[in-house]
Amino acid sequence: MAAELGVQSGPRLAPGLRVVSLLPSCTDTVIALGMQHLLVGISHECEGEGVSGLPTCTSNKFDSESMTLADVDAASGSQRNALWGAAFGGLAPKAILLEWGLGCYRTDMAKLKELQPDVVLTQVQEGPQVLSRASMQEALRECLGIQSLHVVHSDPQTMEEVFADMRNIAESMQAGPKGQELELRLRRRVQAVRDCVRGRAAKRVACVQWTDPLYLAGGWVPELISMAGGTDIFATTGGPSIEISDEELVGSEVDVVVFAICGFQMKDTLKEVQKALARWMSMNNPPKASMIATDAVRMFSRPGPLLVDTLEMLVEILHPEAQEYGHRITTGSVYSFRFTRISCTDSGSRNEIRYHTVKNVDIAPIST
């Protein structure tokens, strides 16, 4: 969950407060609070009302666009191990550790120093010794020359921790009452979802976070599935993502498989879904579950206010008869909340993967 490290008296007061967000979910919260006018810098993945044109302070740690999912998974592990090795051996200067360990992305330390923030919202890539939160904050204060700097670390794993994150972010921006108002609005929407699915038969669900290797989402996702009238049959609330085999997933008695591939928009998700379903359809017992592809850029993967939108979308997926929330595909808009149903049918001599949309969009069938 979020934690404000070493808060001291003396920073500039709003509206003169200077805030940098290195994490899209934190930027989502700032926007939901109506405080984006305090942002002076964001990550390259942040977007939303009022942040277009702000200086970007991050970049990807490697060129994932030219890599397969398996390559990305291997590179992520190698990069993390290299960072820990440098920290253990005392081989890297503080600026390098901050560049690679201050957040999920590679941080532009020169740009950060130029912006002179009072508050940095991020997810510290925690580790031993010099990679501890406290050590990283002290290193950042030293490198930027700002002893009153506040660092808010965000790494929630449950919905209660997500709400705590939002409160902490609001308080760090001296907007505590706005944080309370936002939380109340979001909790009302969560309760409305609980009310509309009460008494309905729970669907057995698996949520695919990565397809090669095959990972099922943990953290807040099983909790959202439960709130939406489902049961995650593999992962547990607040727990880690789970690596399983194709055979384990296809052989399970799952009713709905949701593809929420981390950081993927619908077009890229469908490409990976096609590969996964081609493997599964070639097995002796092809899946009978309902298959759902989602746009996971804004849904599922950003633990902030948008998780309530994700919850409402899950209700449409699991219990479409219960409530219409309008999460439909809209071509060309990054703000679309999107999902599509997929059916797998055996048409004689070949297996066929056919996409059926639930919302007014035609997607051509793909044969294997």
Side-chain angles (χ1 to χ4, degrees), residues 53-64:
L54 285 174
T56 57
C57 304
T58 64
S59 59
N60 288 326
K61 291 182 175 178
F62 40 81
D63 183 14
S64 58

Side-chain angles (χ1 to χ4, degrees), residues 340-360:
T340 183
R341 295 188 187 279
I342 303 167
S343 67
C344 304
T345 59
D346 187 353
S347 54
S349 61
R350 64 176 185 174
N351 290 324
E352 184 177 272
I353 302 169
R354 184 176 297 275
Y355 299 130
H356 294 286
T357 65
V358 291
K359 306 292 180 190
N360 304 325

Side-chain angles (χ1 to χ4, degrees), residues 17-22 26-28 30-31 35-58 111 114-115 121 173:
L17 202 67
R18 299 175 62 82
V19 181
V20 168
S21 173
L22 304 180
C26 291
T27 301
D28 295 338
V30 173
I31 293 171
M35 302 292 287
Q36 57 265 51
H37 60 282
L38 297 183
L39 289 170
V40 297
I42 55 176
S43 83
H44 67 292
E45 294 287 358
C46 294
E47 37 82 19
E49 182 182 355
V51 303
S52 177
L54 285 174
T56 57
C57 304
T58 64
K111 177 60 68 175
E114 175 187 325
L115 294 174
L121 311 175
M173 302 176 70

Side-chain angles (χ1 to χ4, degrees), residues 112-366:
L112 208 56
K113 188 168 186 177
E114 175 187 325
L115 294 174
Q116 289 288 287
D118 300 300
V119 178
V120 174
L121 311 175
T122 189
Q123 186 181 103
V124 177
Q125 303 304 286
E126 292 185 89
Q129 301 173 5
V130 295
L131 291 180
S132 70
R133 294 187 210 170
S135 295
M136 292 290 275
Q137 176 172 257
E138 288 307 311
L140 184 61
R141 286 176 170 173
E142 180 181 327
C143 288
L144 300 188
I146 308 172
Q147 290 306 306
S148 60
L149 177 69
H150 296 190
V151 173
V152 178
H153 168 76
S154 175
D155 188 20
Q157 297 300 313
T158 67
M159 285 302 292
E160 283 305 315
E161 291 180 358
V162 170
F163 285 124
D165 261 25
M166 290 189 281
R167 291 195 300 270
N168 275 343
I169 290 170
E171 289 166 4
S172 76
M173 302 176 70
Q174 303 170 20
K178 287 191 175 185
Q180 295 171 8
E181 293 169 6
L182 173 62
E183 181 179 356
L184 180 60
R185 293 198 305 271
L186 294 175
R187 285 189 182 275
R188 285 172 175 166
R189 288 170 61 190
V190 170
Q191 187 57 50
V193 165
R194 290 181 181 274
D195 291 342
C196 84
V197 300
R198 184 176 293 116
R200 299 180 188 275
K203 301 289 181 66
R204 295 165 58 85
V205 183
C207 183
V208 176
Q209 174 181 298
W210 206 251
T211 57
D212 187 13
L214 185 60
Y215 275 97
L216 303 182
W220 53 84
V221 173
E223 185 175 10
L224 291 178
I225 289 170
S226 176
M227 289 177 174
T231 300
D232 193 313
I233 64 172
F234 288 100
T236 58
T237 296
S241 300
I242 298 175
E243 183 176 2
I244 67 169
S245 66
D246 287 343
E247 289 76 14
E248 287 175 291
L249 179 58
V250 172
S252 68
E253 295 181 359
V254 62
D255 299 315
V256 181
V257 177
V258 178
F259 290 87
I261 302 176
C262 186
F264 275 35
Q265 294 181 344
M266 179 64 78
K267 179 178 69 173
D268 295 322
T269 296
L270 287 174
K271 291 178 182 177
E272 297 305 324
V273 169
Q274 181 186 358
K275 295 174 186 176
L277 293 187
R279 298 196 309 266
W280 300 349
M281 292 293 289
S282 67
M283 299 172 69
N284 291 331
N285 295 304
K288 299 179 177 63
S290 174
M291 301 286 173
I292 306 292
T294 71
D295 182 345
V297 168
R298 286 171 59 85
M299 315 303 275
F300 289 97
S301 59
R302 283 156 64 165
L306 289 176
L307 285 189
V308 179
D309 294 312
T310 303
L311 173 62
E312 293 170 347
M313 186 178 76
L314 278 169
V315 172
E316 288 191 287
I317 290 171
L318 301 182
H319 299 286
E321 78 288 352
Q323 178 65 49
E324 170 67 52
Y325 288 102
H327 294 291
R328 60 184 178 275
I329 298 176
T330 304
T331 303
S333 172
V334 297
Y335 301 107
S336 301
F337 304 135
R338 302 179 281 184
F339 69 93
T340 183
R341 295 188 187 279
I342 303 167
S343 67
C344 304
T345 59
D346 187 353
S347 54
S349 61
R350 64 176 185 174
N351 290 324
E352 184 177 272
I353 302 169
R354 184 176 297 275
Y355 299 130
H356 294 286
T357 65
V358 291
K359 306 292 180 190
N360 304 325
V361 172
D362 294 326
I363 300 178
I366 299 178

